[in-house]
């Protein structure tokens, strides 16, 4: 029997729907706590609730709290895996934060629900049991942080929420799930080739996230400069291009040693310095803009928040975002 640590953090999986108004809100009693008997044949469960927050209320400080709690609990006890229940809106960001920072090889699995506990077709309990099963699976070790919902297992780096309400919302564009949950077994068909590892002691930097659009001007970038942000991620057009009107703002930030990381706003593909015109990726690269290797905007922001705790050197940051397997030097 495997020993599994379960951390409940809030979200729809712990909420209920008001039968009269249809509004979904926090439940007085966590619905999953009533299903201990169901899990007796699967694993020995230790439950903690570090906080009870809808996922839009969860930020990097709460993510760091989870990281420290998991490492402390694993030092004190012989856990074989960890399951975290979490609201789905920012679940992918917490998963990626933990993937970049946790120092452990045991399975770490995040799950949630798209329907509250008393709605027809509620998916919370099923997803929770699936996550427990994955955390108990020996093959789930050394695969980084995993996200399990709707019978699929996804890598934290690639998974994203793609639908506002559908139970099959979590997908990994271009890559697909790394495994499946069936009634009889857990099936993995590939694993990540490498893992990055950082150990932030605190998260105090501020990183903004912008989406580029036709006719975008420099004023938003100027506001980031004026508000003294430490970095910015831009979901750029196509393969990594910006309207030329943005360039004065880009130049101002770079001269102030405020890193700019560019990803593509496209659902699939990688930002690259391909186009050679004013505002094109080639010019942005020459100006000092950092191109991220395949992350979406919210994941690139998490990574920049973490790496800025160690360095603001543009060359080191550029290498980290382009070549994640490089040795990180403080």
């Amino acid at each position: 029997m495997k020993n599994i640590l379960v951390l409940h953090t809030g979200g729809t999986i712990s909420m209920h729907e008001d039968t009269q108004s249809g509004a979904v809100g926090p439940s007085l009693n966590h619905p999953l706590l009533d299903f201990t008997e169901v899990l007796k044949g699967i694993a020995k469960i230790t439950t903690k609730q570090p906080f009870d927050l809808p996922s839009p209320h969860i930020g990097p400080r709460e993510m760091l709290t989870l990281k420290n709690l998991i490492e402390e609990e694993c030092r004190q006890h012989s856990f074989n895996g960890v399951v975290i229940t979490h609201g789905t809106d920012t679940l992918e960001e917490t998963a990626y934060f933990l993937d970049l920072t946790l120092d452990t090889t045991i399975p770490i699995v995040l799950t949630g629900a798209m329907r509250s506990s008393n709605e027809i077709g509620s998916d919370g309990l099923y997803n929770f049991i699936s996550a427990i099963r994955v955390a108990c699976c020996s093959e789930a070790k050394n695969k980084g942080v995993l996200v399990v919902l709707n019978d699929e297992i996804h890598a934290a780096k690639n998974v994203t929420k793609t639908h506002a309400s559908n139970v099959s919302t979590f997908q990994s564009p271009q890559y697909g799930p790394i495994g499946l949950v069936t009634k009889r077994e857990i099936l993995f068909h590939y694993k990540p080739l490498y893992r990055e590892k950082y150990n932030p002691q605190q998260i105090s930097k501020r990183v903004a996230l912008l989406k580029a659009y036709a006719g975008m001007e420099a004023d938003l970038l100027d506001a980031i400069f004026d508000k003294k942000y430490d970095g910015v991620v831009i979901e750029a057009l196509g393969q990594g291009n910006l309207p030329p009107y943005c360039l004065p703002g880009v130049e101002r930030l770079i001269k102030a040693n405020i890193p700019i990381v560019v990803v593509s706003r496209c659902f699939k593909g990688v930002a690259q310095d391909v186009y050679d015109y004013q505002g094109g990726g080639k010019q942005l690269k020459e100006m000092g803009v950092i191109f991220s290797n395949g992350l979406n905007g919210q994941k690139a922001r998490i990574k920049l928040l973490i790496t800025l705790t160690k360095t603001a050197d543009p060359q080191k940051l550029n290498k980290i975002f382009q070549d994640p397997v490089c040795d990180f030097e403080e």
Side-chain angles (χ1 to χ4, degrees), residues 104 113 142 144 146 161 237:
T104 182
N142 291 305
L146 304 173
K161 186 174 181 178
L237 308 172

Side-chain angles (χ1 to χ4, degrees), residues 9 51 54-67 84 86-102 108 110-111 145-147 149 154-162 170-171 200 203 207-210 233 235 295-306:
T9 69
F51 41 81
S55 63
H57 294 194
I58 293 177
R61 292 181 182 178
E62 286 76 21
M63 297 173 192
L64 185 60
T65 295
L66 284 176
K67 181 252 187 194
I84 304 167
H86 195 289
T88 58
D89 286 350
T90 62
L91 185 150
E92 66 188 88
E93 288 159 270
T94 297
Y96 188 53
F97 182 100
L98 295 175
D99 191 58
L100 290 175
T101 61
L102 272 176
I108 308 294
L110 277 81
T111 192
V145 174
L146 304 173
V147 172
L149 290 96
H154 293 266
K157 179 181 177 181
N158 301 325
V159 72
T160 190
K161 186 174 181 178
T162 65
F170 281 95
Q171 306 289 330
I203 301 294
V207 174
L209 174 59
L210 301 179
V233 174
E235 294 184 1
L295 294 175
N296 63 22
Q298 53 268 37
K299 301 274 182 69
R301 177 181 172 272
I302 290 293
K303 184 171 180 177
L304 186 55
L305 275 172
I306 292 170

Side-chain angles (χ1 to χ4, degrees), residues 123-171:
D123 55 332
L125 177 59
Y126 184 84
N127 286 339
F128 181 56
I129 293 174
S130 296
I132 295 288
R133 291 178 59 202
V134 172
C136 290
C137 176
S138 298
E139 290 187 10
K141 294 177 64 176
N142 291 305
K143 287 186 171 63
V145 174
L146 304 173
V147 172
V148 173
L149 290 96
N150 202 39
D151 286 334
E152 293 183 340
I153 308 167
H154 293 266
K157 179 181 177 181
N158 301 325
V159 72
T160 190
K161 186 174 181 178
T162 65
H163 195 287
S165 58
N166 197 298
V167 295
S168 63
T169 180
F170 281 95
Q171 306 289 330

Side-chain angles (χ1 to χ4, degrees), residues 74-94:
C74 290
R75 277 193 294 268
Q76 295 182 6
H77 308 284
S78 299
F79 288 116
N80 303 110
V82 179
V83 170
I84 304 167
T85 64
H86 195 289
T88 58
D89 286 350
T90 62
L91 185 150
E92 66 188 88
E93 288 159 270
T94 297

Side-chain angles (χ1 to χ4, degrees), residues 1-309:
M1 183 84 56
K2 297 291 182 71
N3 293 321
I4 303 298
L5 173 64
V6 172
L7 302 177
H8 293 304
T9 69
T12 300
I13 195 169
S14 66
M15 295 181 180
H16 74 281
E17 180 185 59
D18 186 283
T19 55
Q20 295 183 337
S21 68
V24 176
S27 177
L28 293 177
N29 298 307
H30 198 300
L32 294 181
L33 298 180
D34 297 331
F35 292 101
T36 305
E37 293 296 322
V38 177
L39 300 171
K40 274 190 175 179
I42 302 176
K44 180 182 177 182
I45 303 296
T46 300
T47 301
K48 290 183 177 293
Q49 187 163 2
F51 41 81
D52 184 10
L53 297 171
S55 63
H57 294 194
I58 293 177
R61 292 181 182 178
E62 286 76 21
M63 297 173 192
L64 185 60
T65 295
L66 284 176
K67 181 252 187 194
N68 292 334
L69 176 60
I70 291 169
E71 290 181 347
E72 181 63 26
E73 289 292 327
C74 290
R75 277 193 294 268
Q76 295 182 6
H77 308 284
S78 299
F79 288 116
N80 303 110
V82 179
V83 170
I84 304 167
T85 64
H86 195 289
T88 58
D89 286 350
T90 62
L91 185 150
E92 66 188 88
E93 288 159 270
T94 297
Y96 188 53
F97 182 100
L98 295 175
D99 191 58
L100 290 175
T101 61
L102 272 176
D103 185 19
T104 182
T105 61
I106 66 173
I108 308 294
V109 183
L110 277 81
T111 192
M114 295 302 292
R115 296 172 182 162
S116 56
S117 59
N118 63 333
E119 287 185 70
I120 295 175
S122 173
D123 55 332
L125 177 59
Y126 184 84
N127 286 339
F128 181 56
I129 293 174
S130 296
I132 295 288
R133 291 178 59 202
V134 172
C136 290
C137 176
S138 298
E139 290 187 10
K141 294 177 64 176
N142 291 305
K143 287 186 171 63
V145 174
L146 304 173
V147 172
V148 173
L149 290 96
N150 202 39
D151 286 334
E152 293 183 340
I153 308 167
H154 293 266
K157 179 181 177 181
N158 301 325
V159 72
T160 190
K161 186 174 181 178
T162 65
H163 195 287
S165 58
N166 197 298
V167 295
S168 63
T169 180
F170 281 95
Q171 306 289 330
S172 295
Q174 297 191 119
Y175 306 100
I178 69 170
L180 302 173
V181 179
T182 73
K183 292 183 182 298
R184 295 180 179 176
E185 56 188 331
I186 308 300
L187 301 173
F188 285 97
H189 45 263
Y190 72 84
K191 66 179 181 179
L193 293 176
Y194 59 83
R195 291 189 65 189
E196 300 173 69
K197 198 58 58 205
Y198 309 98
N199 187 28
Q201 301 303 308
Q202 61 178 355
I203 301 294
S204 58
K205 304 296 183 179
R206 300 172 69 218
V207 174
L209 174 59
L210 301 179
K211 182 187 284 272
Y213 51 85
M216 181 180 180
E217 299 181 50
D219 53 353
L220 293 177
L221 296 168
D222 290 336
I224 288 169
F225 177 88
D226 294 338
K227 293 296 183 180
K228 302 185 186 306
Y229 274 77
D230 300 290
V232 58
V233 174
I234 304 176
E235 294 184 1
L237 308 172
Q239 292 191 57
N241 311 304
L242 292 175
Y245 325 106
C246 292
L247 295 181
V250 170
E251 186 176 17
R252 187 183 185 193
L253 289 173
I254 290 175
K255 283 184 176 179
N257 201 36
I258 299 173
I260 300 174
V261 175
V262 159
V263 302
S264 176
R265 75 173 192 178
C266 298
F267 200 59
K268 296 182 179 181
V270 177
Q272 295 178 313
D273 54 325
V274 173
Y275 285 95
D276 188 9
Y277 52 72
Q278 192 177 17
K282 187 174 184 297
Q283 182 185 23
L284 295 176
K285 184 80 169 181
E286 290 171 350
M287 293 174 67
V289 170
I290 299 165
F291 280 68
S292 177
N293 192 1
L295 294 175
N296 63 22
Q298 53 268 37
K299 301 274 182 69
R301 177 181 172 272
I302 290 293
K303 184 171 180 177
L304 186 55
L305 275 172
I306 292 170
T307 53
L308 278 174
T309 65

